[in-house]
Short mmCIF file of all heavy atoms in Angstrom, two decimals:
data_model
loop_
_atom_site.label_atom_id
_atom_site.label_comp_id
_atom_site.label_asym_id
_atom_site.label_seq_id
_atom_site.Cartn_x
_atom_site.Cartn_y
_atom_site.Cartn_z
N GLN A 132 -24.32 151.89 219.85
CA GLN A 132 -23.11 151.10 219.68
C GLN A 132 -23.46 149.62 219.66
O GLN A 132 -24.48 149.21 220.23
CB GLN A 132 -22.11 151.36 220.83
CG GLN A 132 -21.63 152.77 220.93
CD GLN A 132 -20.64 152.95 222.07
OE1 GLN A 132 -19.91 153.92 222.11
NE2 GLN A 132 -20.60 152.02 223.00
N ASP A 133 -22.60 148.83 219.01
CA ASP A 133 -22.79 147.38 219.09
C ASP A 133 -22.10 146.85 220.34
O ASP A 133 -21.54 147.62 221.14
CB ASP A 133 -22.27 146.69 217.82
CG ASP A 133 -20.80 146.92 217.57
OD1 ASP A 133 -20.06 147.28 218.53
OD2 ASP A 133 -20.36 146.73 216.41
N ALA A 134 -22.13 145.54 220.53
CA ALA A 134 -21.61 144.94 221.76
C ALA A 134 -20.12 145.17 221.93
O ALA A 134 -19.61 145.19 223.05
CB ALA A 134 -21.91 143.45 221.77
N SER A 135 -19.40 145.37 220.81
CA SER A 135 -17.95 145.59 220.91
C SER A 135 -17.58 147.05 221.13
O SER A 135 -16.40 147.38 221.21
CB SER A 135 -17.28 145.08 219.62
OG SER A 135 -17.71 145.84 218.51
N GLY A 136 -18.56 147.92 221.24
CA GLY A 136 -18.29 149.33 221.46
C GLY A 136 -18.15 150.15 220.19
O GLY A 136 -17.85 151.35 220.26
N HIS A 137 -18.36 149.53 219.02
CA HIS A 137 -18.26 150.26 217.75
C HIS A 137 -19.49 151.14 217.56
O HIS A 137 -20.63 150.68 217.71
CB HIS A 137 -18.16 149.26 216.59
CG HIS A 137 -18.21 149.91 215.24
ND1 HIS A 137 -17.20 150.71 214.77
CD2 HIS A 137 -19.17 149.87 214.28
CE1 HIS A 137 -17.53 151.14 213.56
NE2 HIS A 137 -18.72 150.65 213.24
N VAL A 138 -19.29 152.41 217.26
CA VAL A 138 -20.39 153.35 217.07
C VAL A 138 -21.09 153.05 215.75
O VAL A 138 -20.46 153.08 214.68
CB VAL A 138 -19.90 154.81 217.11
CG1 VAL A 138 -21.07 155.75 216.80
CG2 VAL A 138 -19.30 155.15 218.46
N LEU A 139 -22.38 152.80 215.83
CA LEU A 139 -23.17 152.52 214.63
C LEU A 139 -23.79 153.79 214.06
O LEU A 139 -23.78 154.02 212.86
CB LEU A 139 -24.25 151.49 214.93
CG LEU A 139 -23.75 150.13 215.45
CD1 LEU A 139 -24.92 149.24 215.84
CD2 LEU A 139 -22.89 149.44 214.39
N THR A 140 -24.38 154.59 214.93
CA THR A 140 -24.93 155.88 214.50
C THR A 140 -25.08 156.77 215.72
O THR A 140 -25.08 156.31 216.86
CB THR A 140 -26.30 155.69 213.80
OG1 THR A 140 -26.68 156.94 213.21
CG2 THR A 140 -27.38 155.24 214.77
N ARG A 141 -25.24 158.08 215.45
CA ARG A 141 -25.42 159.05 216.53
C ARG A 141 -26.24 160.22 216.00
O ARG A 141 -26.24 160.52 214.80
CB ARG A 141 -24.07 159.56 217.02
CG ARG A 141 -23.24 160.25 215.96
CD ARG A 141 -21.90 160.75 216.47
NE ARG A 141 -21.14 161.36 215.40
CZ ARG A 141 -21.28 162.62 214.98
NH1 ARG A 141 -22.18 163.41 215.58
NH2 ARG A 141 -20.57 163.11 213.99
N GLN A 142 -26.96 160.85 216.92
CA GLN A 142 -27.71 162.04 216.55
C GLN A 142 -26.78 163.25 216.48
O GLN A 142 -25.90 163.42 217.32
CB GLN A 142 -28.83 162.31 217.55
CG GLN A 142 -29.98 161.34 217.44
CD GLN A 142 -31.14 161.71 218.35
OE1 GLN A 142 -30.96 162.43 219.33
NE2 GLN A 142 -32.32 161.22 218.02
N THR A 143 -26.98 164.04 215.46
CA THR A 143 -26.16 165.26 215.30
C THR A 143 -26.82 166.47 215.94
O THR A 143 -26.16 167.49 216.17
CB THR A 143 -25.94 165.55 213.81
OG1 THR A 143 -27.20 165.63 213.15
CG2 THR A 143 -25.12 164.43 213.18
N ARG A 144 -28.13 166.38 216.22
CA ARG A 144 -28.85 167.43 216.93
C ARG A 144 -29.91 166.78 217.81
O ARG A 144 -30.33 165.65 217.54
CB ARG A 144 -29.54 168.39 215.94
CG ARG A 144 -28.58 169.31 215.22
CD ARG A 144 -29.33 170.32 214.38
NE ARG A 144 -30.16 169.69 213.37
CZ ARG A 144 -30.82 170.38 212.43
NH1 ARG A 144 -30.74 171.69 212.40
NH2 ARG A 144 -31.55 169.74 211.54
N PRO A 145 -30.36 167.44 218.85
CA PRO A 145 -31.39 166.85 219.71
C PRO A 145 -32.67 166.58 218.92
O PRO A 145 -33.04 167.35 218.04
CB PRO A 145 -31.61 167.91 220.79
CG PRO A 145 -30.36 168.73 220.79
CD PRO A 145 -29.88 168.74 219.37
N SER A 146 -33.34 165.51 219.24
CA SER A 146 -34.63 165.21 218.62
C SER A 146 -35.71 166.04 219.29
O SER A 146 -35.51 166.64 220.35
CB SER A 146 -34.93 163.72 218.76
OG SER A 146 -34.85 163.32 220.11
N TYR A 147 -36.88 166.07 218.67
CA TYR A 147 -37.98 166.87 219.21
C TYR A 147 -39.29 166.17 218.88
O TYR A 147 -39.39 165.41 217.92
CB TYR A 147 -37.97 168.28 218.63
CG TYR A 147 -37.98 168.34 217.12
CD1 TYR A 147 -39.17 168.43 216.42
CD2 TYR A 147 -36.79 168.26 216.39
CE1 TYR A 147 -39.18 168.46 215.03
CE2 TYR A 147 -36.78 168.30 215.01
CZ TYR A 147 -37.99 168.40 214.33
OH TYR A 147 -37.99 168.42 212.95
N GLY A 148 -40.31 166.45 219.69
CA GLY A 148 -41.61 165.83 219.45
C GLY A 148 -42.64 166.29 220.44
O GLY A 148 -42.33 166.58 221.60
N GLY A 149 -43.90 166.39 219.98
CA GLY A 149 -45.01 166.71 220.86
C GLY A 149 -45.39 168.17 220.91
O GLY A 149 -46.39 168.53 221.51
N GLY A 150 -44.63 169.04 220.26
CA GLY A 150 -44.96 170.46 220.29
C GLY A 150 -45.50 170.94 218.96
O GLY A 150 -45.82 170.16 218.06
N ASP A 151 -45.59 172.27 218.84
CA ASP A 151 -46.11 172.87 217.61
C ASP A 151 -45.20 172.59 216.41
O ASP A 151 -45.66 172.64 215.27
CB ASP A 151 -46.26 174.38 217.78
CG ASP A 151 -47.31 174.73 218.82
OD1 ASP A 151 -48.18 173.87 219.07
OD2 ASP A 151 -47.24 175.84 219.38
#
Side-chain angles (χ1 to χ4, degrees):
Q132 298 181 162
D133 61 19
S135 65
H137 173 69
V138 175
L139 301 175
T140 189
R141 60 180 178 83
Q142 287 186 338
T143 55
R144 287 186 300 186
S146 55
Y147 55 93
D151 295 337

